[in-house]
């Protein structure tokens, strides 16, 4: 069976309608926007502060939305019917992931506007965020398959929010507790380091290592 973009878009439209009706899930998009609004009122924001909001968006919007979309299908017993439809697994995952990806991009753009973030090299940063999004979409898919209900998905997202959303806050403790140095290799920390290097004038070749680590997580 060949890949059909029509079936992908049909699944995309269906999930967008379902998401619009589920206010519990859709309102999670407001959380990073609220953070961005308050941070945007501060002066001289550092790159780390901008990426607290962006990493929070990736953890909450990207991972949780993807997780909840799949978990809700399982809870309503509609995922099995979808699997038995003419749509293939890549088409099903493609349609659902497209919803998450588009909402992630929109949310990050809005957050960047609220905080006033203007990267020195938009191209490199955009590539890094897109690659990071793939990781969080994959993580959300995995959690969605593990979750049996939407409530379970809400619980599973908490460690993801803690580790990938606020993990950068634990970096100052790495000198005192060497075991915490492992967080330097997390995708959210690599994204911050990449963005910091870009602001310092680094080119694409200089941040290939950071991109490689993020890609390895994917």
């Amino acid at each position: 069976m060949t890949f059909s973009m029509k079936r992908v878009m049909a699944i995309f439209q269906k999930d967008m309608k379902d998401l619009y009706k589920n206010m519990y899930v859709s309102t999670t998009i407001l959380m990073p926007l609220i953070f961005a609004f308050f941070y945007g009122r501060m002066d001289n924001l550092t790159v780390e502060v901008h990426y607290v909001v962006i990493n929070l968006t990736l953890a909450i919007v990207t991972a949780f939305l993807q997780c909840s979309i799949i978990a809700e299908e399982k809870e309503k017993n509609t995922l099995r019917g979808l699997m038995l439809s003419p749509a293939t697994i890549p088409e099903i995952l493609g349609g659902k992931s497209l919803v998450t990806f588009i909402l992630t991009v929109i949310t990050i753009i809005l957050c960047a506007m609220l905080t006033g973030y203007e990267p020195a090299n938009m191209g490199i940063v955009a590539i890094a965020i897109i690659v990071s999004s793939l990781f969080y979409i994959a993580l959300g898919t995995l959690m969605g398959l593990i979750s049996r209900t939407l409530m379970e998905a809400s619980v599973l997202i908490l460690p993801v929010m803690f580790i990938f959303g606020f993990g950068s806050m634990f970096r100052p403790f790495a000198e005192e507790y060497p075991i915490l140095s492992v967080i330097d290799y997390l995708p959210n920390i690599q994204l911050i380091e990449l963005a910091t290097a870009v602001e310092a004038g680094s080119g694409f070749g200089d941040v290939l290592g950071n991109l490689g680590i993020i890609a390895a997580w994917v």
Side-chain angles (χ1 to χ4, degrees), residues 2 4 9 12 46 58 62 79 86 100 103 130 133 142 147 157 164 169 171 181 184 188 194 197-198 201 210:
T2 58
S4 172
M9 293 308 299
F12 168 78
T46 63
L58 291 169
T62 314
L79 185 59
T100 303
L103 291 177
I130 289 171
S133 298
L142 178 61
S147 305
I157 196 63
F164 296 108
M169 296 182 179
R171 296 183 75 185
S181 61
D184 287 337
N188 52 321
L194 181 145
V198 167
N210 304 106

Side-chain angles (χ1 to χ4, degrees), residues 48-88:
E48 286 79 6
V49 174
H50 287 296
Y51 276 84
V52 166
V53 177
I54 291 175
N55 282 320
L56 192 62
T57 302
L58 291 169
I60 295 178
V61 178
T62 314
F64 179 61
L65 276 187
Q66 185 74 1
C67 176
S68 61
I69 287 172
I70 295 175
E72 191 174 21
E73 292 272 15
K74 291 178 67 178
E75 186 175 7
K76 294 179 178 178
N77 294 318
T78 54
L79 185 59
R80 184 180 297 274
L82 193 59
M83 296 290 288
L84 294 174
S85 70
T88 63

Side-chain angles (χ1 to χ4, degrees), residues 145-213:
L145 293 173
I146 294 172
S147 305
R148 290 172 296 179
T149 64
L150 191 56
M151 188 58 66
E152 281 190 12
S154 302
V155 175
L156 280 176
I157 196 63
L158 294 178
V160 174
M161 287 175 54
F162 186 72
I163 296 171
F164 296 108
F166 299 102
S168 59
M169 296 182 179
F170 298 97
R171 296 183 75 185
F173 299 100
E175 294 182 3
E176 186 174 354
Y177 304 99
I179 193 173
L180 291 179
S181 61
V182 71
I183 68 174
D184 287 337
Y185 297 96
L186 292 176
N188 52 321
I189 303 301
Q190 289 298 313
L191 186 59
I192 294 174
E193 290 186 356
L194 181 145
T196 303
V198 167
E199 293 304 311
S202 297
F204 187 77
D206 300 315
V207 298
L208 275 177
N210 304 106
L211 276 175
I213 294 175

Side-chain angles (χ1 to χ4, degrees), residues 77-137:
N77 294 318
T78 54
L79 185 59
R80 184 180 297 274
L82 193 59
M83 296 290 288
L84 294 174
S85 70
T88 63
I89 292 177
E91 289 167 355
I92 294 171
L93 292 179
K96 294 183 178 301
S97 299
L98 189 59
V99 172
T100 303
F101 181 74
I102 289 176
L103 291 177
T104 297
V105 171
I106 292 173
T107 306
I108 288 177
I109 290 173
L110 290 175
C111 287
M113 291 172 63
L114 288 171
T115 59
Y117 177 51
E118 296 180 0
N121 191 318
M122 182 67 74
I124 296 176
V125 171
I127 291 172
I129 290 176
I130 289 171
V131 175
S132 297
S133 298
L134 296 178
F135 164 71
Y136 288 97
I137 287 173

